[in-house]
Amino acid sequence: MSQTDAARPWEVQRRGLLLLISSPSGAGKTSLSRRLVADHDDLVLSISATTRAPRPGEEEGREYYFVTPERFDEMVAGGQLLEWAHVHDNRYGTPRAPVEAALAAGQDVLFDIDWQGAAQVRAALPEDSASVFVLPPSWADLARRLNARAQDSAAVIQRRLERGREEITHWGDYDYVIVNKNFDRAYADLGHIYRAERMKPTRNPWLPDFVRRLGSESLS
Ligand code: ADP
């Protein structure tokens, strides 16, 4: 550590944290997450491994790590995934090693993840995780947003709404809950949660030394 770093340890030494964000589809977790990542240099989106084929324009290690089903089996068997799930005909999971490396380097990782994935990550790294559940202000708003997003067919929207009903029953497992009525307000609240979580003593290993040093400085 350089002289300057020793004098201002809070600027360089911090263990990263995992910010887990879940919500029913359409409640706003993607919009909130993207903006939070765009606004913070030391926050990155988690990158999953998947057995599905790359789509045009997707790059290995940017959208996903693309792996064969055999390799995915090996990763599961070797405990190399923090969480994983079947989605339709493919499997998706979060490789443990890059996440551990980020934490050690003081980089935060954001997970846009469903309640089952969040539960697995929380169980694997409980001290490092902070979780936020995003609720819509009403079911009518949620349906309106899914329709306005114009990304899915009516049948897919219907399925998303049905799955959303199940998803919201897990709100009580989360550290924080945000009702996303006004986007800017919800985003500000998410930012406050994130900033506060970074200041937990457990994430700041320099604190004991720092306080010891403060305590030994002259009172005058
Ligand atoms: P999710 O990732 O939870 O499925 P999105 O972030 O894609 O949700 O948001 C769903 C749609 O709702 C998007 O079109 C988004 O722009 C819109 N949206 C998000 N938050 C709000 C809000 N507070 N008010 C109105 N529309 C919103």
Side-chain angles (χ1 to χ4, degrees):
M1 210 162 45
S2 75
Q3 207 53 35
T4 324
D5 294 342
R8 288 182 285 136
W10 54 89
E11 291 195 350
V12 286
Q13 286 183 20
R14 180 174 67 84
R15 181 164 170 81
L17 70 91
L18 308 181
L19 190 62
L20 315 175
I21 306 189
S22 303
S23 80
S25 183
K29 66 182 170 311
T30 307
S31 318
L32 290 166
S33 304
R34 286 203 182 135
R35 181 142 163 214
L36 197 69
V37 166
D39 285 350
H40 293 88
D41 288 342
D42 41 9
L43 178 66
V44 293
L45 260 181
S46 164
I47 300 170
S48 300
T50 179
T51 56
R52 84 153 165 73
R55 296 192 182 124
E58 287 182 338
E59 253 178 51
E60 167 69 16
R62 191 179 65 189
E63 284 79 14
Y64 288 100
Y65 303 109
F66 296 98
V67 299
T68 62
E70 295 71 32
R71 175 73 192 119
F72 201 96
D73 288 340
E74 277 171 26
M75 293 171 94
V76 172
Q80 293 169 34
L81 296 176
L82 279 181
E83 57 80 38
W84 69 274
H86 276 282
V87 182
H88 309 301
D89 293 335
N90 292 301
R91 285 175 295 167
Y92 295 77
T94 307
R96 180 185 280 269
V99 170
E100 302 257 10
L103 289 172
Q107 182 151 63
D108 305 319
V109 186
L110 190 151
F111 290 74
D112 179 333
I113 196 165
D114 73 357
W115 73 268
Q116 284 160 309
Q120 291 179 58
V121 175
R122 207 186 280 117
L125 293 164
E127 298 297 319
D128 295 311
S129 302
S131 59
V132 182
F133 198 89
V134 181
L135 287 169
S138 73
W139 215 255
D141 272 288
L142 187 65
R144 227 179 350 260
R145 286 180 200 172
L146 283 173
N147 282 306
R149 190 167 71 178
Q151 179 189 295
D152 307 304
S153 67
V156 169
I157 289 179
Q158 191 53 35
R159 269 208 307 283
R160 287 189 187 284
L161 289 169
E162 282 160 18
R163 269 219 310 277
R165 275 283 149 94
E166 218 281 303
E167 187 81 18
I168 61 168
T169 65
H170 299 281
W171 67 273
D173 299 337
Y174 288 72
D175 299 320
Y176 304 93
V177 176
I178 295 175
V179 178
N180 177 17
K181 181 167 168 59
N182 174 284
F183 182 84
D184 289 338
R185 183 65 200 260
Y187 178 69
D189 287 342
L190 179 62
H192 296 321
I193 291 166
Y194 172 51
R195 300 293 307 181
E197 279 291 329
R198 288 165 54 133
M199 284 171 245
K200 285 210 163 137
T202 46
R203 309 196 200 289
N204 293 289
W206 49 270
L207 261 175
D209 277 349
F210 179 69
V211 175
R212 212 171 296 126
R213 198 160 0 118
L214 275 183
S216 65
E217 279 177 17
S218 132
L219 289 178
S220 56

